[in-house]
Every structure is written in structure tokens, then in C-alpha cells.
Amino acid sequence: MKEIKEPIWTKDFIIVSVINFVSILMFFLLMVTISSYAVDTYHVSTSIAGLVSSIFIIGSLIGRLGAGRLIGNIGPQKMLLIGLVLFFVTTTLYLMEWGVVYLLIIRLLQGIAVGTIGTATGTIVAMILPVSRKGEGIGYFSLSAVLATAIGPFVGMFMLKLENGFDVIFYMNTGLSLMLLIAYFFVKISLPPVNKQNGQQTEKLSFIEKFIEPKALPISFIALLIGFAYSGVMTFITFYAREINLVEAASYFFLAYAGIVIISRPFTGKLMDVRGPNVIVYPCLAVFAVGMLLFSQASAGWMLLVAAVLIGFGYGNFNSIAQTIAVKVTEPHRFGLATSTYFILYDLGLGVGPFILGMIEPHTTYRTIFVSMIPLILICIPLYYLLVGRKQKLA
């Protein structure tokens, strides 16, 4: 008799995934356009324009820390509503031109909103997915982020070419944020009651444990290192493409990257549920290293696009599997903290990487920078075994 699988694609799963997708799309759309807006509107320096762009990540980290802590008290649904209301309010405030300090404050507050939304949606998905298909389900859910990171920058660059492009962006984002807030009220999720562990265990928690899930730290630390290794690709690909005269091929890089992730992630998620995470993680890290090697040595368009496929398969699938591990090693009542812990460290790698690598770049070449990331990726293979892999069993 054929086994009936528990459903993944429920109405609530789809709505929560769409909320996650649109909020991240708007995040990346503004990341590639807001610095130009700051320069054009307020005539600030390049360094201040960079701060306007990057302060969003600081806000996101604050949002994840706060949301991870509060979810255990008020639940992920209320946390999501708080995030969406703040997101809508801050999005409408972009329509006012009250100076660069005002813009910095709005960017910081909206970063807090996005961090809150991301933690809440990730926690809700982890809770509503059936245990037997959690890896597959989180794989599908994380596709929303992958698609957003590919589509957001593309839409943003296209809109900059329009007349009054910044106004179009801000009005469109206001409409989208309102739609997300409305969509929330169509979510009717039956989550288990918040487990406060009869108050005694809560009091025994250290200050750190109130904001961070210790069991999720090992895989989250590896995600930080892998995010750091990838951050240079995400940030410097335009400059690198000019350096090696492959600008046209580079414009298709993230499309190839997103394409292979979309194709492969459903299979890797299913395989994790059946065979456990190790069978995915080790090959993914090896493939990521090979992709980075090819990327660093690219001298033709096809090499750059093949590198995109390899990096997409390796890095892209590792990211979703690692997120699943962070949740699976944690008790259900701390899913929120596990999700926020993972993304705090992962975002830290993505955020700190460009700053550090950017300081190194004037003293070397982009090729050398990308080559130097290969040993870091390879070191993560034995590190994963020591911290995580040897403790994993077949699902």
C-alpha cells in the first residue's frame, strides 16, 4: 500500500513563504538602489552612501536578536504581525525627504522589521511542517529567499532607468508592504501553545541563552564562515567582471545561480529527510570550493556561468540544509531562537565579509581574494565533521 505523505504546500505555508519572499525582495531591491538615492538626493559622500545601504544589516541583526527572544513569550504569529506593521510604517516614511540622518534612522528601523519578519516566518514554517518532510519543506521555503536575492537587484536596477525611478520604487514598496500586512490576516495557523517550561527553567537560563540557542551555534558558526566566503562574490562580482572583461557574462551569473538552486533544492531536501544532512553537506562544500576555484580563474564567459552553477549547487544547498539542522537539533519551544541564531551568524558573515575583503582589495587583486576563500571553504569540511557531522544520524 502506498504511503500517504503529509502535505507541505498548505495555504498557510504558501502565504508565509510569499511574505518572506516579498520582504526579502524589497530588501535587496533597496540595497542596490538606496546608495544612489542618497547621493542624488542629499549629495553625500560615497562612504556615507555605503553606510545608508549597510546600516540595514545592523537593524536586521537587532531585529533577529529581539524576535528570537520574544517569540518564546508571545509566539511567532504575533511577532510576525509586529514586524509587518513596522515594515509598512517604515516603508511609507521613505516618501518624505527630511535629510540623510532621517534616512539612516528609517533604514535601521526597517532592518529591524525585516529581521523580525524573517525570524517569525522561519519559525512558523519550522513549526507547521511535518517532521518527516521538514528538510524538504524548509528547502522549498528557502527558495523564496533565493528567488528574492536574484529578482530584487534586477528589478531595482531596471527601475533606476525609469523617469522618477526612486519615486516609483518607494510607492511600489509601500503598496507591497500593505499587501503583506493584509495577507497576514489570511493566515490561520494552529500552532502548539508557547511552552514556558513552568517558569523555573526560564529563570535558570543564562543571559546569553535568552537571546541565542546554544545547540544551533555549531552549524551557525560554519554558516558564518561559508557566508563570509560567498560575500565577496555577491559584492564584488561587478568590479571583478570589469577587471577580467566578462561584464556581459556576469549579468547572467545570478540567474544561473538561482536556476540551479531551484532545480536541485527540492531533491536535496528530500534526500536529507531520508538519509540525513551529511550526505548533502560534504558534497556541497566540496562543490562550492571547486566553483570558487573556477570563478577565481575565469577567463571566458562559459567559465563564469559554470562557476555560477557550481557555487549555486554547493553554497545554495548548504545554506538551506544548515538552516534545517539548526532547527532539528533544537526543542520546538526554542525554534524561534534557533532560527534567529542561525541567521544572526549567517548575516554577520555576509555583512562583515565585504568590509574586510574591501580593505584587502587595494593591496591585491580580486582573483587573489577569491582564491584565498578556497582554503576557508575546505577548512569547513573537517570543521563541520567535528562540530556537527559526527553527531548526525540517518533521518
Side-chain angles (χ1 to χ4, degrees):
M1 185 176 178
K2 187 177 180 180
E3 181 183 359
I4 300 176
K5 290 186 177 181
E6 297 176 274
I8 289 178
W9 294 100
T10 61
K11 174 180 68 72
D12 293 330
F13 177 84
I14 293 172
I15 293 176
V16 170
S17 297
V18 169
I19 290 174
N20 189 60
F21 166 75
V22 175
S23 64
I24 294 176
L25 183 146
M26 292 168 64
F27 161 62
F28 277 94
L29 187 157
L30 286 174
M31 278 290 286
V32 300
T33 58
I34 200 67
S35 57
S36 297
Y37 170 76
V39 171
D40 292 352
T41 305
Y42 301 114
H43 310 291
V44 299
S45 65
T46 304
S47 59
I48 296 297
L51 179 61
V52 169
S53 178
S54 62
I55 198 172
F56 194 101
I57 296 175
I58 298 174
S60 179
L61 293 175
I62 295 172
R64 290 190 185 281
L65 276 170
R69 172 75 178 99
L70 292 175
I71 277 177
N73 295 323
I74 67 175
Q77 285 177 280
K78 291 181 181 178
M79 201 73 247
L80 178 57
L81 179 59
I82 292 171
L84 288 172
V85 169
L86 180 60
F87 190 60
F88 172 68
V89 171
T90 53
T91 301
T92 60
L93 293 177
Y94 278 102
L95 298 172
M96 325 300 188
E97 294 182 3
W98 289 346
V100 70
V101 174
Y102 168 81
L103 183 60
L104 284 167
I105 294 172
I106 297 307
R107 293 288 292 161
L108 180 68
L109 291 175
Q110 192 175 55
I112 293 174
V114 170
T116 301
I117 292 170
T119 301
T121 55
T123 304
I124 290 172
V125 164
M127 286 182 167
I128 65 176
L129 284 171
V131 175
S132 63
R133 303 185 71 186
K134 200 174 290 292
E136 182 184 357
I138 290 180
Y140 285 126
F141 171 73
S142 58
L143 275 179
S144 61
V146 174
L147 289 173
T149 58
I151 296 173
F154 174 80
V155 173
M157 296 305 291
F158 172 79
M159 286 189 163
L160 281 182
K161 299 176 183 178
L162 301 175
E163 186 177 355
N164 300 319
F166 294 123
D167 289 336
V168 174
I169 289 172
F170 295 149
Y171 280 110
M172 182 192 74
N173 283 356
T174 300
L176 288 174
S177 63
L178 178 60
M179 288 173 59
L180 294 185
L181 189 55
I182 294 171
Y184 167 85
F185 294 99
F186 289 91
V187 178
K188 303 295 181 184
I189 303 171
S190 298
L191 295 177
V194 177
N195 188 347
K196 298 185 179 179
Q197 300 291 300
N198 63 38
Q200 294 182 340
Q201 273 191 323
T202 305
E203 293 177 4
K204 293 180 181 178
L205 292 176
S206 69
F207 177 79
I208 296 295
E209 289 174 321
K210 292 178 181 179
F211 294 91
I212 297 292
E213 172 50 56
K215 292 180 181 179
L217 278 175
I219 189 62
S220 302
F221 175 69
I222 296 170
L224 182 153
L225 297 179
I226 292 299
F228 183 95
Y230 176 72
S231 67
V233 175
M234 180 179 67
T235 306
F236 300 124
I237 185 171
T238 302
F239 304 107
Y240 177 54
R242 291 174 188 165
E243 185 179 273
I244 61 177
N245 298 314
L246 293 176
V247 174
E248 184 176 354
S251 65
Y252 296 101
F253 182 91
F254 290 107
L255 291 179
Y257 170 95
I260 191 62
V261 175
I262 291 170
I263 294 171
S264 63
R265 191 165 288 181
F267 300 102
T268 56
K270 289 178 181 178
L271 189 58
M272 176 185 174
D273 287 331
V274 175
R275 299 287 303 278
N278 291 352
V279 72
I280 306 296
V281 172
Y282 292 122
C284 281
L285 292 177
V287 170
F288 183 23
V290 173
M292 187 65 77
L293 175 62
L294 187 61
F295 183 78
S296 69
Q297 302 303 310
S299 58
W302 68 266
M303 295 177 70
L304 205 62
L305 295 180
V306 172
V309 171
L310 294 174
I311 291 173
F313 181 87
Y315 169 79
N317 283 290
F318 168 82
N319 187 20
S320 93
I321 298 301
Q323 182 184 348
T324 307
I325 294 173
V327 170
K328 278 201 165 188
V329 299
T330 309
E331 291 81 5
H333 70 279
R334 289 179 66 86
F335 276 177
L337 282 173
T339 303
S340 66
T341 299
Y342 176 79
F343 279 108
I344 286 168
L345 269 69
Y346 171 65
D347 288 348
L348 195 60
L350 286 178
V352 171
F355 177 71
I356 295 176
L357 297 177
M359 290 193 298
I360 297 172
E361 187 276 327
H363 308 287
T364 183
T365 65
Y366 288 112
R367 286 195 190 277
T368 304
I369 288 176
F370 295 132
V371 168
S372 68
M373 294 298 100
I374 299 170
L376 178 62
I377 299 169
L378 293 176
I379 288 171
C380 287
I381 296 177
L383 192 61
Y384 170 81
Y385 170 77
L386 291 173
L387 297 180
V388 181
R390 61 180 178 170
K391 303 174 186 177
Q392 297 296 317
K393 299 177 181 178
L394 289 178

